[in-house]
Amino acid sequence: MKAPDSGRLFRYSTLLCLALAVIAPASGDIYLLNLLVLMLIFIIFASSWNLLALSGQGSLGHAAFFGIGAYASTLIAVKTGLSPFIALPLGGVVAAGVGLLIGLTCVRLKEWFLAMVTFGFAIITQTLVVSVLAPVTGGWSGLASPRLLSAAIPGNSFIEYYSILGIAALSILAIRALMGSKIGLAFAAIRENETEARASGVDPVRYRLLGFAASAFLAGVAGALEIHHFGYVTPDIFGIDISFLPVIYTIFGGLGTLAGPVIGTVILTIVSEGLMNFGLTFERFIIIGLILILVVIFLPRGLVSLPEEIRKRWKRHGDNPVVSQTKKE
Amino acid sequence: MNYKQYTIILGIVLMGVILAAGCTQGATQPAGEIKIGVVASLTGPVSNLGNGMWDSAVIAANEVNAAGGVYVKEYGGKVNITLIPGDDQSTPAGGQTAVTKLITEDKVDALVGGYSSAVTYAHEQIVAQYKVPYVVTGASSPTITHRTDIDTSYIFHHCPTTDTYGKYTTEFIDQVIRPAINAKFNFDAGRPLRLGIIYQDSQFGQGVYSAVNNTIHAENLNIQIVGAQSFKMAESDFHTTLTAIKAAKPDAVYVAAFTNEMVPMVTQARRDVGLNTFFLAVENNDAPAYYKGLGGYGNYSVIESRFSPYTVPTGTIADAVAAFKTPYTARFGSPPDMMGASTYEGVRIVAQAISDAGTVDKASVQQALVNLRMPQMIEAMQNGVITFSSNYHESQFKLYMEQLVWNPTAGETRPQIVWPENLKAADFVVPDWYTPGSG
Amino acid sequence: MVDVGILLQIVFWGLYAGCIYLLLATGLNLIFGVMKIVNFAHGEFLMLGAYVTAAIFALSGLNPYAIILLTMLVLVSIGGFVERLCFRPILGTGKLNEIFLSIGLIYVFENVAAVIWSDRWQSIQSPYSGISIPIGPVSLPLDYVIIMVVTTAILTGLYLFLERTQVGMAIRATSQNRRGAMLVGIDVERMDMLSFGIGSALAAAAGTLWVVSGQVFNPYMGSIPAIKAFAIIILGGLGSIPGAIIGGLLYGLAENATAFLVGGPWKDAVSFIVLIVVLIIRPRGLFGEAEE
């Protein structure tokens, strides 16, 4: 599968998306703004997971990096008095360091084995945070985290929103640049066929570790952003639901594409929020569950493949409308 | 990807944004209506508690509205309460979104509810920023109003905290269980009680555990903690934990757990491990599912309570409880639980505060809550009044202890209040199968 | 320092916990063997098994152990439907899609159950719940002894089915070599559906045993046991039924030993540390084949 989308069109559509995101706060709607902030954070988080998938790996424990970034950034900001804006990338660096360690453990593992081990790491991290690390992390009580911007600053919600928008845009551009570079080519080679990649001089271990570290860095930044937005961090941040969300968002939108995690996050958040505004509770999750099932059956490559699928069916008019079965990892 | 694909995708995104904007247009406020936002977990793993909170709030609003509403001086008459649900989905992010919507879209006059401390911390900050009076009726951590990184002056805690849980149960153990055991087995009156503790590895469980320790030291009680074990939240297999506690030979075991953990624990202790001792449960278990789940294994065990489905302390509370329980059971098919009870009271407290303030102006309502002195309703309070402490805005609950006794008609155990003296309906009993610890 | 009586008890509790796990894990592995997929929503069949048992029990008042067969029958059909409608269309589209589909199924099953049966905790009482058999320092509850016997019976039945019957052999053939099975005229899609149904029924049996041992249940109860079952088949080796059985018992024992020696909160973490160490040494699990 082609990963990076390139060309003029990409630039135009990105600009349009950005323009929409930039004018959104003009509505003055704080609820919308808060929703968008959470959405942007999850776009970063889902994109980080997508990046790992692009390097031919998978994780069911991405909450570990999300949480480590959050705790590290909070602790750095609290202990040193640095602005959260400076603590944020440092939190990401700590997450990347841990990601590197986990990646080292996992180099020989693939697929389900890798999935389960990463899942286990999230649980082990949580257990450590509430036990041996409790004197620093506050254990189950958690820690108050400085806001990205003090509530005393006028218009703080707006500045916060634009900062996070900037960070999200920057992250996506960084992933795009990475995928367009030599590294991206190496990722693709490993993803397609590891033996061949090795034969052509690509060291899979090195690139795998790089993928893990880069993905963990972004996940850590996303976690730190969420926590500086909430103003409080608790060990619940390592929860299973947090690990599964980027998986859901990315695959829903389109695995391995730059737009996939963005579209997935935006649409699923809106659907969920919209259904909630109709007062649906359990029914909301039944509907979302059915949507997920239908999408994976009829659009196994995610929502981004929708136009292509429509076109295919158009062409095959009269044919048996079979969903294309693309082999994909 | 080509042009067409992108137009379609962008179209979808655009539609989405419009949809979101459309969905967020809150209703306009008719003049003279009190809007109360109820923050509860209507979905997610703790939805059973959240739905109970919402249902109870509905009963409270109906009761107030049926009596004509709340008298608000500013409006020159009585106005109705409208409740608006805010589903926190049992997650911090969900709670933040829900509370932001309640405050900025629905423009609520006050908030009630809030379960799970982790969820509540994340949205407290918005409440502090917008200065909306918030009566927290579900989260049990004292940190809710003790934290100093945000301004908690608009936040009021109407729910016993883990400090309160630990204090009352420990005092009961010292005043009732210890003498009863020493008398029954002819032990020396100075023999300390051997207490085992099993607690959930969470803020709730650790809070109770440290409260027990603090109470023993602060009041210099003759209680010796002989074993302490913790377990992971949502655990269902306690055999090994119980075997370890049994090896410590306790006279009684105090457990800080949720109902889904408490039921298998007591069952496994009595049936499988042969730990024939008193189990003491925290008040959050006093709900129908607990009695049904325990069956006969609950016989003679002890539970702390502030609101029970099956018993009421005698006095004025009894009538008030009936006024809440009867319509609730008729409407929802099962009796309410204690989270529901404090949420019911939370709505009534807000109504009273608005009435006292004579306006829905938030600063005035906050002041009214600070000065509130309201007679107790369905839960027993210290000195019979609901009032928020000046330092941490906590109301002071008066908890009582119940002993569960087998009721052949119900085919389950039923609670009897055994402590304190002024509320008790029966004496605490040491059954024949009970085996004291030794060491 | 630790006396033998206590040690024996811990082993016994470990074995009991292992029974529920290994039924779940065996089902999961049977499905993996044939279809090469992992159903993360497997725990929802455990949950459905618990509710179906409780519902039949409430309606009929039959002995809950007799209901186990009925429950398994109901779940065979539900499992078959899920395979036909959801998993078959996505076969071969990638492992991540299986996870994604499972998450969708989890949402649907959990919340449908909440709508039908409410989200409250429920429980039923086994007719034998008061009876215990004292053996030395331990008193074994009759229910647990029955649970162990039933688990053994189910596993024996499964073994005989797979070894001695025509259909069972066809399932094994599909599991060993799908293409080859197809060539000799086995309807592999039928085998998929069948093994998925049987796998779900094993989860349902675990659900029934869960309920009769006096455990409480609610619509969200399935996800944690499912993940543990998944960890077990990874530990034991994907597709290996002996691996699932030994992995399940090991897991149960490791958990209980941890709870005793280190403390309850470490149960899951230590189990996963064991898993990681095993995988570092043997990247395909204890009984896993060298390559797929």
Side-chain angles (χ1 to χ4, degrees), chain A residues 27-40:
Chain A
S27 65
D29 190 326
I30 300 290
Y31 162 61
L32 180 67
L33 211 60
N34 185 59
L35 204 61
L36 287 174
V37 162
L38 290 173
M39 233 189 251
L40 286 169

Side-chain angles (χ1 to χ4, degrees), chain A residues 5 9-10 13 16-17 20 29-31 34-35 38 126 130 140-141 144 147 156 226 229-232 234 236 241 259 263 267 270 273-274 276-277 281-282 284-285 304 306-308 311, chain B residues 1-3 5-6 8-10 12 14 16-17 19-20 23-24 42-43 47 51 87 89 91-93 96-97 100-101 104-105 118 121-122 125 129-130 143 147 149 201-203 206 232:
Chain A
D5 327 61
L9 281 165
F10 177 78
S13 42
L16 192 59
C17 274
L20 268 176
D29 190 326
I30 300 290
Y31 162 61
N34 185 59
L35 204 61
L38 290 173
Q126 187 187 47
V130 300
W140 281 109
S141 311
R147 305 286 318 269
N156 67 89
E226 187 186 55
H229 176 67
F230 286 170
Y232 208 96
T234 64
D236 299 75
D241 49 335
I263 295 171
I267 304 242
I270 289 170
E273 205 58 24
M276 186 148 69
N277 286 338
T281 53
F282 301 127
R284 185 168 85 233
F285 286 98
V304 286
L306 183 65
E308 200 187 311
R311 219 160 4 101
Chain B
M1 284 224 165
N2 62 19
Y3 177 73
Q5 272 171 287
Y6 259 102
I8 293 177
I9 291 163
L10 277 176
I12 293 170
L14 202 69
V17 172
L19 191 80
C23 286
T24 61
L42 303 179
T43 54
S47 60
N51 284 301
D87 179 8
Q89 307 178 52
T91 64
Q96 243 221 353
T97 312
T100 311
K101 179 167 177 292
T104 63
E105 300 288 321
Y121 295 149
Q125 170 251 119
Q129 187 176 343
Y130 287 91
T143 315
R147 64 191 280 201
D149 60 305
D201 185 41
S202 65
Q203 199 176 13
Q206 291 175 345
K232 217 171 154 72

Side-chain angles (χ1 to χ4, degrees), chain C residues 20-26 28 42 224-235 251:
Chain C
I20 306 258
Y21 291 154
L22 72 85
L23 278 177
L24 268 179
T26 306
L28 209 53
H42 200 61
I224 292 177
I227 283 163
K228 286 184 177 173
F230 186 48
I232 286 164
I233 66 168
I234 293 285
L235 179 72
Y251 199 91

Side-chain angles (χ1 to χ4, degrees), chain A residues 116-127:
Chain A
M116 211 61 236
V117 167
T118 45
F119 182 90
F121 268 114
I123 289 180
I124 295 167
T125 313
Q126 187 187 47
T127 308

